[in-house]
Every structure is written in structure tokens, then in C-alpha cells.
Amino acid sequence: MAAADQLGAIGQVQSEFGAYFVASFVHPVLAAASVSLDSHDNRTYSATLGQAGQAADAASACDAIVGAMRFIGAATGQTRLLERACAQEICELVAKRLVCSGNRLPSSRRELDAFAANQSTLALLSFEDALFAMCPVEADSDAVASQPIRQAVGRIAALYTEHRCDQALAHARVLAEDTGFAVYDMDQHELWNADLVHAFVAGSGAQDTDRLSELVRGPGNDKDSRQTVFPQCTISRSIHELVQLAYSLANEALLATSDDAGLWVQAARNALDSYCALFPLLHGPELHRVPALGWLFFNDCMYAAHHSALLKRLVPQLPDSPALAFLAAGSNQRLLLMQRQADELSSQARGPKDMFYAAANEQKQQALEKAAKQTQKTLEHLARGIRPPSTTPHVYYTTLGSCIDAAFEATIAGIIDVRDIGVDDSQALSDHCR
């Protein structure tokens, strides 16, 4: 057999071995929840795999793969049995499963800063070196395979940013889709200061340095913070959690490099904008059918707009659009609620057709009395529904006043339509207006 044919045969054997090893050993090891090794002699080598699910820890998985290759090399006398292409494929699988998957990425910036030096990362890098050391030496430097694990570790900051931003957007959608409508009752007016900002950042579950509250404590902000208050009212737990999320993302933007800061700011904007757009679309029928939920959404919009504007004060890169979008959505919701209530009161105040004609008539007086009681009852029900802290005092009084005006205007309009009002009828209508 010619030398070229021998080399070709060896290469085919290596290729087939590599494919079999990856399919029968590497994939199961990386998919296992745990890996334990058993090699009591030089004849057998076994890896006991736990139930498939979350990947096993990096060290045990890597030890199992390298150990298997060394055992096969010792048994065959071939210490460089693995093709470089196969080694690269194995390292790509390891990088994807043990470095780049969501449950393996750092969950905070502190973990990110310590990632390169932790034991798991060092074990992965050592594994890659050991695996490529089992490959034939390439004479051509261009043929040297890339190092997928090192590349993934080098990109860990970008992967962390991308993963956290995707998580934030997904969480904002979950909050918008929530049908529980749980409420968050403020026990007092909310004063915006460094302590509140710190509570938002810490409440989001972040374990990072709180740069936002440091900015609030900075020169020029102390005076402004004492004057920035959101009045006590009822908001939803979803919007409170969304605001926490936005503060956490803004804090990340301040801690990130200049290249990544824009991604965090965009994530904060996307989370706020998506909630504002999705909630009325997903819960439109409930907002129309249940006035209390409509007023809760109005409060939510004002609360989110308030904090969006304050976040822009701390992170100027954040655009005005979230605050403006929530203001518009809240104002529209309030107008719809007030118009619906005003229409109902106007209809009740007008009563049946010709109710104000011949008002001194006993039957008409009964109709007038019924209309007055029904209108009063509706106003009392409305007042109970929006009485602080369900809404703010300003909203309570302006809404109630607007609805009373609508009822009175409808009454006056009905009276004006009557021609030739007699003395007795005039007295009856005057009593009705009082």
C-alpha cells in the first residue's frame, strides 16, 4: 500500500472514530445532569450519567471526555487519535452547552467580573488545551483549528448583556400578560430619593453596585429629590415590578462599557414601551367592563411615566418616548372612563322622554324624583370607586366634579328644551335642580 493510501486510511479511521465518539459519548455526557467516573483498571472506563436535563458541572463533564480519550489512547497506543476538526467540534459543543447557555451565563455583573478567574472557567480552558494536545501536530499554521471555548469566554460580556436584555423584554411581556391584576398599595406619598432608587435596584434581584442611587446623592440632585413626590394611590404589582426592572437596566447601563451601555438603555426602553403597548391590547375588554381596573391602569401609566422621566434625569441616553407613551395611554384611559361615566349620568339625568314637560304633574314628579335618586346613586358609587387611595385626591375631585357637571348640564339642557313652563312647573323643576 502506498504511503498516501496509508495516510488516507488512517485519516478515515480517525474521522469515523471521532464521529462515533462524539455521538456515543460526548453528547450524552453534556446532556447529563451529573457525571461520575469509574476506571478501576486499565481495561474498562465508564461514566455514569445522571438524568438528562440541566448540564453537569463543567469540571466533571470535561474530565469524563478527556479521561475517555486518554484511556482509548493508552489502550490503542495512539496518543494523537483525534482529528483537529473533531476536537474543534467537541469544544464547540462544550462552549455552547457549558459556557453560552442561559443557565451557565453570569447572573450579575459581580459574577461577570469574576467569570474569567473562577474554577469552572479555568477547567474549561484546560480541557480545550488538553483536547487539542491529543490531535496530530499540523505543519501548516493555517490549519490550526480555532479555540471555540476561549472565543466564548472572550465574548462572555457581550453574551451576558444580550442574555439579560432578552430576559428583560421577556419579563416585561409576562408582566403585561398577567391576568391576576394584583395591587400594590402605597402606605404614603412616594418621595423620590436615593433610598427609593436603591430599593428599586435591590428589589429587582440585582447584586451589582448601585450606581443610580449614588447619582441621586450627587450634587444638585438632593434638592430636586425632596421636591419630587408621587401621590399615594393604588397601583398594580406588575407596574411596580416593571419600574424595578427599568431601574435595574438603567443601573446596568451606568456600569457597562461605552459599547454596551446603549444596549442596556435600549433594553429599558423596550421593556417600558412593550408593556405600555401590550397591556391595553391584551386586556381591552376588562378595562372597558371593569371601571376599577381602568382606573388602576390609569394610575399605572402615571406611575410609569413619572419614573421614566426621573430615569432620564439620571441616564440622559434614555429617550422621552416611554414617559410620553405612558402619559398618552393614561390620559386616553382616563378620558374614556370619564366619557363613559358622563354619558351614563347624562342619560340618567335626562330621564324618559318629555320628563321635564308638565313637571307639576304627579306622575312627572315621580319620574323626576326617580331620575334624581338614580343619578345620585350613580355618583355615590363612582365616588366610592375612585376615592383615595384608589386614585389620587386631584383625580378624585376633578373626575367627580366633571361627572356632576355632566349630570347638571344634561338636566339644564332638558329643561331648556321645554316651552311655555308654567308657574307650578317652574317650581317643580327648581326643586328638582336643588
Side-chain angles (χ1 to χ4, degrees):
M1 180 182 292
D5 294 336
Q6 291 180 341
L7 290 175
I10 293 173
Q12 184 177 358
V13 171
Q14 287 179 325
S15 178
E16 291 177 356
F17 164 75
Y20 176 79
F21 181 70
V22 169
S24 63
F25 191 83
V26 175
H27 278 293
V29 165
L30 294 180
S34 61
V35 179
S36 58
L37 304 179
D38 183 14
S39 180
H40 298 295
D41 51 50
N42 294 328
R43 296 180 181 180
T44 60
Y45 180 89
S46 62
T48 303
L49 308 182
Q51 184 177 1
Q54 183 178 348
D57 67 277
S60 62
C62 292
D63 287 346
I65 296 171
V66 171
M69 283 303 306
R70 286 173 176 163
F71 175 82
I72 294 171
T76 61
Q78 299 290 330
T79 57
R80 295 183 179 271
L81 187 60
L82 198 62
E83 280 189 323
R84 282 190 172 273
C86 182
Q88 183 171 353
E89 180 185 358
I90 294 173
C91 289
E92 288 174 352
L93 291 171
V94 169
K96 181 178 180 180
R97 184 73 176 177
L98 301 182
V99 179
C100 301
S101 62
N103 60 339
R104 295 288 180 173
L105 291 172
S107 60
S108 68
R109 193 160 291 277
R110 289 182 182 178
E111 290 185 12
L112 176 64
D113 294 338
F115 182 83
N118 67 34
Q119 293 298 317
S120 179
T121 304
L122 295 176
L124 288 167
L125 296 175
S126 298
F127 161 79
E128 189 170 52
D129 292 338
L131 203 63
F132 278 112
M134 298 176 186
C135 301
V137 178
E138 297 285 352
D140 183 3
S141 59
D142 293 337
V144 176
S146 63
Q147 297 177 305
I149 295 178
R150 273 184 167 73
Q151 290 178 354
V153 171
R155 293 182 57 245
I156 197 66
L159 293 172
Y160 166 79
T161 299
E162 181 181 343
H163 180 64
R164 285 287 305 277
C165 291
D166 289 344
Q167 278 186 322
L169 186 58
H171 188 49
R173 183 178 182 88
V174 169
L175 293 175
E177 293 173 344
D178 180 36
T179 57
F181 308 122
V183 299
Y184 178 88
D185 290 315
M186 298 182 186
D187 55 0
Q188 59 185 357
H189 298 323
E190 185 183 83
L191 177 64
W192 187 76
N193 54 26
D195 292 336
L196 177 67
V197 172
H198 177 72
F200 276 132
V201 174
S204 66
Q207 301 174 356
D208 302 319
T209 302
D210 180 7
R211 190 65 55 80
L212 281 177
S213 62
E214 294 176 6
L215 284 179
V216 178
R217 290 189 178 94
N221 276 326
D222 286 342
K223 182 178 180 181
D224 292 340
S225 66
R226 289 194 297 269
Q227 301 171 349
T228 307
V229 177
F230 190 84
Q232 180 186 9
C233 66
T234 300
I235 59 174
S236 71
R237 290 190 178 276
S238 292
I239 205 67
H240 190 265
E241 194 168 334
L242 180 73
V243 168
Q244 283 185 335
L245 177 65
Y247 272 90
S248 175
L249 294 170
N251 188 61
E252 285 277 10
L254 296 178
L255 296 172
T257 63
S258 57
D259 293 336
D260 289 342
L263 297 175
W264 291 104
V265 171
Q266 185 65 37
R269 174 187 178 177
N270 290 343
L272 293 167
D273 284 347
S274 62
Y275 184 98
C276 184
L278 284 173
F279 191 92
L281 289 176
L282 297 173
H283 307 293
E286 291 88 348
L287 293 176
H288 179 80
R289 187 174 63 252
V290 185
L293 183 59
W295 286 111
L296 182 66
F297 179 60
F298 165 75
N299 291 344
D300 285 353
C301 289
M302 296 300 103
Y303 188 75
H306 170 76
H307 282 288
S308 296
L310 292 173
L311 274 175
K312 181 172 175 58
R313 183 189 299 181
L314 300 177
V315 185
Q317 302 95 316
L318 187 69
D320 293 321
S321 59
L324 296 176
F326 274 110
L327 279 174
S331 299
N332 183 62
Q333 179 65 31
R334 183 184 179 188
L335 286 174
L336 289 174
L337 288 166
M338 292 177 64
Q339 187 60 54
R340 193 180 309 134
Q341 200 67 64
D343 291 344
E344 181 183 356
L345 287 165
S346 296
S347 176
Q348 292 173 353
R350 280 183 175 275
K353 185 178 180 181
D354 297 332
M355 182 181 71
F356 298 104
Y357 181 75
N361 181 279
E362 183 178 353
Q363 186 176 1
K364 291 296 181 68
Q365 285 186 350
Q366 291 177 354
L368 289 171
E369 184 178 357
K370 181 179 179 180
K373 288 182 177 180
Q374 189 175 15
T375 302
Q376 183 179 359
K377 184 177 180 180
T378 300
L379 284 169
E380 290 173 349
H381 179 74
L382 170 64
R384 285 194 298 270
I386 64 173
R387 181 177 292 119
S390 295
T391 61
T392 65
H394 173 75
V395 170
Y396 172 75
Y397 288 114
T398 55
T399 301
L400 201 58
S402 177
C403 289
I404 292 173
D405 286 345
F408 194 69
E409 287 175 3
T411 301
I412 297 301
I415 293 174
I416 291 176
D417 288 342
V418 179
R419 298 180 181 179
D420 301 327
I421 300 176
V423 175
D424 293 339
D425 293 340
S426 177
Q427 183 62 45
L429 292 172
S430 176
D431 293 341
H432 175 69
C433 290
R434 285 198 296 270

